[in-house]
Amino acid sequence: MRQLNEQDALFLDTDSAHANSNVSFIQIYDPSTAPGGKIRFKSLLALIESRLHRSPIFRQKLVRVPLDLDDPYWIEDENFDLEYHVRHIALPKPGDWRQFCIQASRIHARALDLNRPLWEIYLIEGLDTLLDLPRDSFALLTKLHNAAIDVERGTEITMLLHDPTPHPPAPEPAEPWFPEAPPSTLEMVCRGLAHTATSPLRLARPVKRAMSRFTPSGVPDDVLSHPVQVPVTRFNSIVSPYRVFETRRFLLDEFREIRRLVKGATINDAVLAVCAGGLRRFLESEEELPESSLITLAPIYVRDPRRGEKAKPEVSWVRLTLGTDIADPVERLRFIRDQTAASEAMSRAIDARELTDIGTHAPAATLAITGKMLGRALLGVGRRAPLANCVVTNVPGPSQALYLNGARMTYFSAIMPINDGMGLVFAVTSYDGKIMVSPTSCREQMPDPEAFAQCVRDSFQEYLEASRSARPARAPAKKRARPARTGTSSAGKGARARPTARTAASAPRAARAGRRRSKAPAG
């Protein structure tokens, strides 16, 4: 029996009827690489069952201490039922991308049963009409509560089900499992009283938890005590219980082209600029674009020198101005890069102890943060002036091709939690040479998520065309003068001259210079 830490316990206390802390990971697979070219639900159940012992998340549920005298505990679920947690559904025909996004959003929005382990996996079939997907492709949606996700390993529960090759190892024999007896009410009360006696400040936790609905967790005190004027948009109101999700898929190499528009810009800067451009386009089309720039929450990484160079950096949230009031896309990217360059210099120079002293004096835009840290930033922002207009966050994805029972993963994205006052989150994932930008919002605030996603794509195309227009024109290759022939070759006078290496190499360059339009799974 292990105890939930205080920060994770806040996720449970801030869940409400219209906003919960669920995080959903979505993968799509090509079954042609699997044995027999198909994955069956029965084989998926067998795979998960053979790997339940690899993570305590699978079989552990939460139990609260009476009167909230202490933080909850993880205990083994003596009535664990695998088939309750793993489910099989199919999209109705025609099974297009829009239907898939609606189904995924509905699953994500439903609260998890707190009396069971906090995860569910859905095998979703019927994706035959999705653009660019092989026939019989299927999806896996893994929904977890933020309280169950390990900050250090993030997507552990999904990654441990995969293999690096299409040839899965022989199924592991199921390990015998004997659940521990659940603790009695008296035992839980005694534990709570004992911990309270050793730490009297625990008595104030119920009050602190009640206030957590009004005070975000994981955001530096300086950000809260030094408020800035954040322009209010449609995304900074109370959210409904209904979620919307969309995705647009881009090539990583094309983001590398975009970052070259500004010297020193990174791929992270380019992603932020594309998201900012999409926001500007959408709000402008709705005649709702504020005169001042929108602001996003972003993390900054600071390493504590006292813990040594190998210690993992600590994460804190800061604000970043997106430059949505700047019409020129290149100037917007330069504006974002100027801020991130300052924040990078700051993160190298300061001690972790000084985080609460820097606050908004140096905004940051490092796009490397787990779903848990995002959730901490979103807790309880309702009933307060908004801390920011949106969040742009990277969800750690696999760095190599992965296979599920032999089926190759072709797509990876995430649906993130939103809350009152912060109704828009961009989840940025990368996999197999592609970057996926996936906005999550509320159905009332974003009634047409496809139109919003198209604004993000149009912003990307604007940057891509600008980067290719900025390339210096190549001077045509000069033809070399051929020396006069003094005789005939063994091939005869009519032999055709072979093209030179320079001519052969120049043709592909010309072809690559044309416009390539990145496509999402459903165009």
Side-chain angles (χ1 to χ4, degrees):
M1 190 168 67
R2 60 189 178 92
Q3 191 171 27
L4 193 68
N5 64 53
E6 182 182 3
Q7 288 182 325
D8 290 345
L10 287 175
F11 287 112
L12 302 175
D13 297 310
T14 53
D15 280 350
S16 66
H18 64 280
N20 54 52
S21 299
N22 294 343
V23 177
S24 296
F25 303 111
I26 298 176
Q27 297 97 26
I28 297 179
Y29 301 87
D30 174 7
S32 64
T33 57
K38 189 173 181 62
I39 295 293
R40 300 186 180 278
F41 181 64
K42 187 176 181 179
S43 65
L44 176 63
L45 277 174
L47 172 69
I48 297 175
E49 186 174 20
S50 69
R51 303 188 181 186
L52 289 175
H53 63 279
R54 294 189 177 185
S55 173
I57 294 175
F58 283 118
R59 287 188 174 120
Q60 290 186 345
K61 66 178 183 179
L62 287 170
V63 60
R64 287 186 177 275
V65 178
L67 304 178
D68 279 338
L69 292 172
D70 203 356
D71 293 322
Y73 284 83
W74 289 106
I75 65 170
E76 293 182 336
D77 183 6
E78 57 182 348
N79 298 313
F80 176 75
D81 179 9
L82 179 62
E83 294 192 30
Y84 170 85
H85 294 275
V86 186
R87 306 174 184 185
H88 186 193
I89 62 175
L91 296 180
K93 292 184 178 180
D96 57 22
W97 177 250
R98 187 78 194 104
Q99 287 177 301
F100 177 77
C101 289
I102 292 173
Q103 184 64 264
S105 300
R106 287 173 178 170
I107 294 172
H108 171 79
R110 290 197 294 265
L112 288 158
D113 186 350
L114 296 181
N115 295 314
R116 296 176 180 267
L118 300 181
W119 64 276
E120 294 172 357
I121 292 179
Y122 292 78
L123 174 64
I124 306 176
E125 295 185 316
L127 314 183
D128 291 340
T129 63
L130 266 63
L131 184 67
D132 292 341
L133 292 184
R135 185 171 179 79
D136 295 328
S137 289
F138 66 93
L140 211 66
L141 185 150
T142 304
K143 180 171 70 172
L144 307 99
H145 197 281
N146 245 330
I149 299 176
D150 191 308
V151 176
E152 304 296 341
R153 288 167 285 186
T155 57
E156 173 197 23
I157 194 171
T158 57
M159 295 302 101
L160 61 79
L161 300 178
H162 295 77
D163 300 295
T165 70
H167 306 290
E172 302 175 19
E175 291 191 356
W177 176 67
F178 303 98
E180 300 174 353
S184 65
T185 302
L186 179 60
E187 180 183 352
M188 297 299 292
V189 171
C190 291
R191 281 178 176 267
L193 292 175
H195 287 178
T196 301
T198 57
S199 179
L201 292 178
R202 290 176 180 267
L203 291 172
R205 286 192 177 181
V207 177
K208 183 176 181 180
R209 287 172 182 170
M211 294 302 296
S212 66
R213 294 185 179 272
F214 310 95
T215 304
S217 175
V219 180
D221 293 338
D222 192 69
V223 173
L224 299 176
S225 59
H226 293 78
V228 298
Q229 189 66 32
V230 177
V232 178
T233 70
R234 62 167 63 195
F235 301 114
N236 305 117
S237 59
I238 296 176
V239 301
S240 75
Y242 312 109
R243 299 292 171 263
V244 293
F245 156 78
E246 253 290 357
T247 286
R248 284 300 178 264
R249 183 174 56 182
F250 310 99
L251 295 178
L252 178 61
D253 285 343
E254 291 176 336
F255 268 108
R256 291 192 176 105
E257 294 181 45
I258 292 172
R259 72 181 179 87
R260 296 190 186 103
L261 281 168
V262 173
K263 184 178 180 180
T266 65
I267 292 177
N268 290 349
D269 299 331
V271 171
L272 277 168
V274 166
C275 292
L279 260 174
R280 174 185 169 87
R281 284 174 175 269
F282 176 77
L283 293 176
E284 198 170 35
S285 68
E286 299 291 327
E287 299 182 351
E288 299 175 5
L289 181 66
E291 293 184 2
S292 57
S293 175
L294 301 185
I295 297 173
T296 187
L297 276 179
I300 181 172
Y301 286 78
V302 181
R303 193 181 304 278
D304 188 345
R306 297 170 299 177
R307 299 171 59 188
E309 294 183 359
K310 294 184 178 181
K312 294 184 178 180
E314 297 182 7
V315 184
S316 184
W317 286 90
V318 291
R319 299 182 182 97
L320 169 72
T321 305
L322 288 172
T324 53
D325 57 333
I326 302 174
D328 183 81
V330 179
E331 288 303 315
R332 188 185 312 125
L333 176 58
R334 182 173 290 108
F335 174 77
I336 290 174
R337 176 52 192 162
D338 289 343
Q339 294 182 81
T340 59
S343 68
E344 288 167 2
M346 175 191 66
S347 64
R348 288 193 300 267
I350 64 174
D351 187 293
R353 292 169 298 177
E354 299 170 355
L355 272 176
T356 56
D357 298 328
I358 55 172
T360 57
H361 300 302
T366 304
L367 294 182
I369 189 165
T370 64
K372 177 174 289 296
M373 298 309 296
L374 171 61
R376 290 176 182 171
L378 297 182
L379 290 178
V381 294
R383 301 185 178 91
R384 292 180 59 98
L387 296 176
N389 299 107
C390 66
V391 172
V392 182
T393 181
N394 177 65
V395 181
S399 57
Q400 61 179 355
L402 292 179
Y403 299 83
L404 180 79
N405 260 358
R408 188 179 192 278
M409 185 194 298
T410 59
Y411 166 90
F412 174 78
S413 68
I415 310 178
M416 306 306 294
I418 61 173
N419 213 310
D420 293 345
M422 191 77 73
L424 175 62
V425 177
F426 292 92
V428 181
T429 55
S430 58
Y431 174 70
D432 195 25
K434 299 180 182 65
I435 287 180
M436 279 67 72
V437 178
S438 306
T440 302
S441 189
C442 161
R443 192 169 70 190
E444 277 64 32
Q445 296 177 4
M446 190 189 291
D448 190 354
E450 191 172 6
F452 184 90
Q454 187 59 42
C455 289
V456 176
R457 177 177 294 283
D458 292 342
S459 172
F460 172 83
Q461 290 298 143
E462 180 181 38
Y463 274 104
L464 186 61
E465 291 171 4
S467 66
R468 291 176 176 176
S469 300
R471 289 177 180 173
R474 292 180 179 272
K478 296 181 179 180
K479 294 184 178 180
R480 294 180 179 178
R482 294 187 177 181
R485 296 179 180 270
T486 56
T488 59
S489 67
S490 59
K493 294 181 180 180
R496 182 176 299 174
R498 296 181 179 179
T500 64
R502 182 182 299 273
T503 305
S506 61
R509 292 196 186 100
R512 286 195 297 267
R515 175 176 173 176
R516 294 179 295 175
R517 189 176 181 86
S518 301
K519 296 180 180 179

